Amino acid sequence: MPEIPITDNHMHIDIVRGRGLDAVRDFKNAGGTHVFLVTLPSRHLGVFVKKSEDYDLVFRQTINIAEKMTAEGVKTFPVLGIHPVDILYLSEENGIGKAVEIMRGGFDLAASYVQKGEAVALKSGRPHFPVPDDILNASNDVMSHVFGLAKDLKCVVQLHVEDMTADSLKSIFGIAEKAGIPAEKVMNHHATPLVDEAGSYGIWPSIPAAKDNIENALKQGTRFLMETDYVDDPDKPGFVLGPKTVPKKTKKLIEIYGEEPFWKIHQENPSRIYDVDIEI
């Protein structure tokens, strides 16, 4: 079978506690070629944030790991951000107003790396489970700030939010529109296969390659990306999906659908959205 690029749009790698580069080699040996590497939650890495500058350690680690992955033969693009659940810890310790200030400052640091060309995108969002209104409003405030940064940088924002529904898409679109960022630069990570619904707003879904998600998405076209959301946590092996999943799923579906849809999903879409080169 001829080679095509195979891109995992949302992966985490922990070279200290996790499988690290061994997981990357699994991805490569299964046929994977490109990864968008997303910052792990700060507490996962043992960083207990007290001030905005504390996030810099996490961002620099992400960039360093991306360089190591690229050296292994998997071209890797860093996506820097702050996990939305940090608003809970920070609010408990500092109050909501200060928590927002710390997170906004952290994102300003992340944006500086995008501006320097050391990262390609930002990651923001809101808790994916029910939270009090003041926490939700604070999360939306932070998200709006990130959209504003991304508008100026002309970069993508990956979002960690609740399950993607018609209502959640409408809400996200409203915040993005007010911030002035084009919806085409907004990506719903861990998305449900509502490709047409997301497309009606201009938002990009990044869909986990689990069960029949990709088959259901393909019924609506190829306007989406594929991901594992692999977290590389030794306490949760293979969670959310293992590093081989996207290449293996892609190769299996090529036998049914042919290569053309997957050139679109793995090469044309990410190249266009992120303004990067996806080449093999």
Side-chain angles (χ1 to χ4, degrees), residues 210-255:
K211 299 180 180 177
D212 55 359
N213 280 350
I214 305 305
E215 291 90 332
N216 287 334
L218 285 166
K219 293 174 184 176
Q220 301 165 66
T222 55
R223 195 186 179 280
F224 64 93
L225 292 91
M226 293 172 64
E227 65 169 67
T228 55
D229 193 15
Y230 176 64
V231 300
D232 201 12
D233 185 342
D235 296 329
K236 300 176 182 177
F239 184 80
V240 170
L241 298 172
K244 300 177 185 178
T245 308
V246 166
K248 289 175 69 175
K249 185 75 170 182
T250 297
K251 289 181 174 181
K252 180 180 178 182
L253 292 179
I254 282 174
E255 296 175 3

Side-chain angles (χ1 to χ4, degrees), residues 83-227:
H83 199 287
V85 298
D86 276 24
I87 192 72
L88 300 173
Y89 310 133
L90 292 170
S91 294
E92 186 175 335
E93 295 166 2
N94 304 278
I96 290 180
K98 184 65 175 176
V100 169
E101 181 184 326
I102 292 170
M103 292 181 74
R104 284 167 64 120
F107 276 111
D108 291 345
L109 276 171
S112 72
Y113 285 109
V114 177
Q115 188 171 35
K116 290 183 288 188
E118 296 181 52
V120 300
L122 301 173
K123 178 212 170 182
S124 183
R126 55 197 182 201
H128 58 277
F129 46 84
V131 292
D133 287 347
D134 55 355
I135 293 291
L136 180 61
N137 292 336
S139 298
N140 286 336
D141 183 353
V142 173
M143 190 194 306
S144 179
H145 179 70
V146 177
F147 284 157
L149 294 170
K151 177 192 73 170
D152 293 338
L153 292 166
K154 297 181 171 58
C155 78
V156 169
V157 179
Q158 285 201 24
L159 292 179
H160 173 112
V161 292
E162 65 274 19
D163 285 347
M164 192 174 81
T165 64
D167 287 342
S168 75
L169 286 165
K170 183 178 180 181
S171 168
I172 291 163
F173 177 78
I175 297 168
E177 187 176 42
K178 191 172 181 181
I181 185 176
E184 288 75 15
K185 290 294 185 182
V186 177
M187 183 175 293
N188 200 137
H189 138 69
H190 208 95
T192 54
L194 297 177
V195 175
D196 287 342
E197 192 80 37
S200 70
Y201 288 100
I203 294 169
W204 283 89
S206 179
I207 301 174
K211 299 180 180 177
D212 55 359
N213 280 350
I214 305 305
E215 291 90 332
N216 287 334
L218 285 166
K219 293 174 184 176
Q220 301 165 66
T222 55
R223 195 186 179 280
F224 64 93
L225 292 91
M226 293 172 64
E227 65 169 67

Side-chain angles (χ1 to χ4, degrees), residues 5-50:
I6 296 180
T7 303
D8 190 324
N9 185 59
H10 192 106
M11 180 185 282
H12 308 277
I13 292 293
D14 184 346
I15 61 172
V16 178
R17 293 179 62 248
R19 295 189 61 233
L21 295 179
D22 284 340
V24 177
R25 295 180 190 112
D26 281 352
F27 173 74
K28 180 183 176 182
N29 292 336
T33 59
H34 295 75
V35 166
F36 288 87
L37 181 74
V38 182
T39 307
L40 277 161
S42 54
R43 292 197 171 199
H44 179 106
L45 297 173
V47 177
F48 292 81
V49 171
K50 302 297 182 185

